[in-house]
Amino acid sequence: MQSQLSQMQQLPALTLEQRLGRLKALQKSIQTNKQLIIDAINADYGQRAASETLLAEVLVNLEDLKHTIKHLPRWVKAEKWTADWKFWPSRCAIIPEAKGVVGIMAPWNYPFNLVAGPLTAAIAGGNRVMIKPSEITPKTAELIQSLLSDVFSDDEVFVVLGDVAVADEFSRLAFDHLLFTGSTRVGKIIMRNAADNLTPVTLELGGKSPVLIDRDYSLDKAAKSIAKGKWFNAGQTCIAPDYVMIETNRVAALIDALKKHTISAYPSIDNNNRDYSCVVNNQHFERLQKLLKQLTNEQIVHVYPEHQAQGNRMAPVIVDNPNWQNTVMQEEIFGPILPIIAVDDMTDAIETINKGDKPLTLYLFSNNRQTIKKVRQQTSSGSFAVNETLVHFAQQNLPFGGIGASGMGSYHGYQGFVTMSHMKSVYYQSRLNGNDLVRAPFTKLKKKIIDWMS
Ligand code: NAD
């Protein structure tokens, strides 16, 4: 790995033409091979809904590539500025340049998207790239290696396969930038490893993303959007609604509305329903079962009480008002379990959120402008989404990233280009300039001039 990196670091940045050429080739490869992407992720998961893969790992990335290819010729242009008047007529410019070799580390929950998205940004910046896909989705990792080797030469993009020990070694390489997507726990290890080389990091992490429902917002509308966002990929989404807060007297009605919309989306949850995805592996399935074991029977609301677990297929479960001491409220759930927490009012909900880590996304369902403003201003989160779940991720004009425990830095669209570029300050001195007036020896006249300027 080290020799590969050293070799790549000797090579020049990709030109605009090379960047556009490779991005178009990547676009074509994703379009041509979408069935292979669906099949590989499906094999890794046991069952992953093909439509979810098409939406989240093909369409989102194709849109990202389209947007990047269209705007890149403008993004790479120097931003010209006049110098401060005392330095006239010299000129200034901010010129984006490639950082060098970028490392990308990806998780398993959207194993293709979370490689292709950062890769698009890194190539747009003109960088060469080394990638470490997740070992938990090995078939997808192999496919990524094979598809990318058709699009890029080995000294442009190099994919490393392997387990956690390989990931650890990878994160210790002296990259010029490292973009890591994964858990907050591992994010801390990655940042420590990168610190030895002063490698700048973008950390796209997780955590608990809460949902708040305002007192007069339609429960039917909120439940429909929450059910979509939570059960997509069986809850294994970094921005999945982790839990919902609502006033005490509306908890029961919300649970009914959630059940209705869940059953309407997934009339059955058995193996024959190919729209519902499995939990990625047995270890995660057992982790989720353990969360339920800490709860009482009264707290657990099975949406499909008759469902018998088949492999790692876990039916949606709603939890009625768990305690904050329960592990389900202490850790990111990352599976099809949705706690509903009763609160007194919005102020109570805001105070509760502010006691915990800053979320990756905070969702609010409200039609009241004052309430929207209050929640937005009095809380801090990577993103804030009003009256809808998940789709803010797909907005090309919005940076995507966390704050505090949910991450640092961001990418997507222009922000991805900026993250993967060094914005170099350039100063052009003019032939005629006033430098001699402020240079030693400081004569009486020069002192007067300096005095006048200061
Ligand atoms: P993870 O942190 O376990 O693994 C992510 C990557 O880190 C993998 O490539 C893995 O090989 C590597 N890794 C694991 N242990 C390591 C170690 N000790 N040293 C060095 N590298 C190590 O995360 P995961 O379980 O694959 O993914 C789930 C997490 O990712 C959730 O917390 C989720 O919220 C988060 N996530 C965040 C985003 C985002 O964009 N913010 C997107 C998807 C997932």
Side-chain angles (χ1 to χ4, degrees):
M1 273 193 265
Q2 178 55 59
S3 61
Q4 178 67 31
L5 174 64
S6 307
Q7 195 187 319
M8 289 166 92
Q9 278 172 330
Q10 308 297 317
L11 297 168
L14 304 185
T15 63
L16 175 61
E17 288 65 35
Q18 286 172 323
R19 301 178 203 187
L20 289 171
R22 299 299 183 275
L23 292 173
K24 283 177 191 164
L26 179 59
Q27 198 176 30
K28 196 163 170 219
S29 169
I30 296 177
Q31 254 153 1
T32 314
N33 295 300
K34 51 188 166 193
Q35 192 56 47
L36 291 183
I37 299 170
I38 292 171
D39 292 345
I41 301 179
N42 189 55
D44 280 330
Y45 269 70
Q47 150 67 11
R48 155 70 96 76
S51 303
E52 291 182 348
T53 298
L54 275 177
L55 282 169
E57 322 233 25
V58 173
L59 182 63
V60 168
N61 291 105
L62 287 176
E63 289 297 313
D64 183 22
L65 280 157
K66 200 160 100 187
H67 180 85
T68 304
I69 291 165
K70 180 172 172 201
H71 296 286
L72 188 58
R74 182 165 54 82
W75 295 346
V76 297
K77 285 204 172 123
E79 203 178 310
K80 292 178 184 155
W81 291 93
T82 52
D84 189 276
W85 71 265
K86 297 180 195 77
F87 302 91
W88 282 354
S90 69
R91 289 173 296 119
C92 293
I94 302 168
I95 303 183
E97 70 174 20
K99 287 195 158 177
V101 180
V102 171
I104 293 173
M105 301 181 74
W108 51 262
N109 65 323
Y110 292 100
F112 189 83
N113 174 306
L114 296 166
V115 167
L119 174 63
T120 300
I123 295 295
N127 301 283
R128 292 164 194 274
V129 185
M130 286 177 70
I131 298 171
K132 164 66 185 74
S134 172
E135 64 285 351
I136 292 182
T137 40
K139 294 208 165 59
T140 313
E142 275 171 31
L143 178 68
I144 287 169
Q145 190 180 48
S146 136
L147 294 186
L148 295 186
S149 71
D150 290 341
V151 174
F152 299 95
S153 65
D154 261 9
D155 56 22
E156 288 169 346
V157 173
F158 189 81
V159 179
V160 177
L161 302 184
D163 59 10
V164 171
V166 173
D168 181 67
E169 193 188 334
F170 187 91
S171 66
R172 291 173 192 274
L173 295 173
F175 291 115
D176 300 293
H177 191 95
L178 179 58
L179 187 146
F180 167 85
T181 308
S183 61
T184 302
R185 179 187 71 80
V186 178
K188 291 178 188 175
I189 299 173
I190 300 299
M191 193 164 169
R192 270 196 293 270
N193 290 351
D196 282 341
N197 299 310
L198 289 180
T199 296
V201 288
T202 301
L203 300 177
E204 298 282 337
L205 309 178
K208 295 180 90 61
S209 292
V211 181
L212 275 60
I213 304 179
D214 203 1
R215 60 161 47 123
D216 47 12
Y217 192 84
S218 154
L219 285 183
D220 196 58
K221 279 192 191 163
K224 193 172 183 180
S225 176
I226 295 166
K228 175 200 75 179
K230 181 71 183 187
W231 314 132
F232 195 92
N233 200 24
Q236 301 162 110
T237 305
C238 56
I239 50 170
D242 189 273
Y243 63 97
V244 183
M245 284 192 275
I246 190 163
E247 285 174 0
T248 314
N249 62 1
R250 300 225 292 164
V251 170
L254 174 65
I255 291 176
D256 286 344
L258 280 165
K259 279 174 152 175
K260 179 185 123 187
H261 283 292
T262 304
I263 290 165
S264 127
Y266 309 100
S268 85
I269 214 78
D270 63 20
N271 276 341
N272 296 324
N273 185 349
R274 309 305 282 175
D275 288 348
Y276 190 70
S277 296
C278 283
V279 171
V280 71
N281 60 25
N282 191 251
Q283 192 192 335
H284 278 278
F285 183 85
E286 290 303 330
R287 174 183 66 79
L288 292 161
Q289 298 303 316
K290 233 161 123 187
L291 296 181
L292 294 180
K293 284 194 183 113
Q294 283 190 350
L295 303 165
T296 64
N297 285 342
E298 289 70 43
Q299 286 172 319
I300 297 177
V301 181
H302 288 286
V303 182
Y304 301 87
E306 74 295 347
H307 174 78
Q308 303 288 318
Q310 295 164 298
N312 296 325
R313 180 174 278 260
M314 179 173 168
V317 177
I318 299 168
V319 183
D320 187 351
N321 223 5
N323 302 321
W324 282 94
Q325 289 72 33
N326 293 139
T327 315
V328 82
M329 293 313 296
Q330 296 278 324
E331 293 175 0
E332 178 182 7
I333 296 170
F334 223 54
I337 301 175
L338 180 63
I340 313 294
I341 302 285
V343 289
D344 296 336
D345 51 24
M346 272 297 150
T347 307
D348 185 16
I350 291 170
E351 280 171 10
T352 305
I353 288 167
N354 289 341
K355 276 185 211 152
D357 287 335
K358 292 180 179 180
L360 186 54
T361 297
L362 173 55
Y363 293 107
L364 171 65
F365 288 89
S366 174
N367 289 323
N368 183 316
R369 291 173 85 173
Q370 288 309 315
T371 307
I372 295 171
K373 191 170 161 194
K374 174 175 161 163
V375 177
R376 197 191 71 231
Q377 287 183 339
Q378 296 184 7
T379 59
S380 177
S381 52
S383 41
F384 178 62
V386 181
N387 299 341
E388 186 54 291
T389 58
L390 302 192
V391 298
H392 60 290
F393 182 88
Q395 305 311 309
Q396 305 300 335
N397 291 323
L398 287 183
F400 183 79
I403 176 167
S406 59
M408 67 175 66
S410 54
Y411 72 115
H412 284 193
Y414 179 62
Q415 185 56 41
F417 171 77
V418 171
T419 293
M420 296 296 184
S421 301
H422 166 54
M423 293 301 180
K424 184 151 81 180
S425 301
V426 180
Y427 180 82
Y428 300 100
Q429 179 63 292
S430 54
R431 258 185 297 139
L432 279 178
N433 61 69
N435 244 355
D436 284 345
L437 296 175
V438 288
R439 187 197 310 271
F442 297 109
T443 60
K444 256 185 170 175
L445 175 66
K446 288 183 186 177
K447 279 184 181 156
K448 266 195 177 159
I449 293 172
I450 294 169
D451 230 26
W452 173 74
M453 286 197 304
S454 27

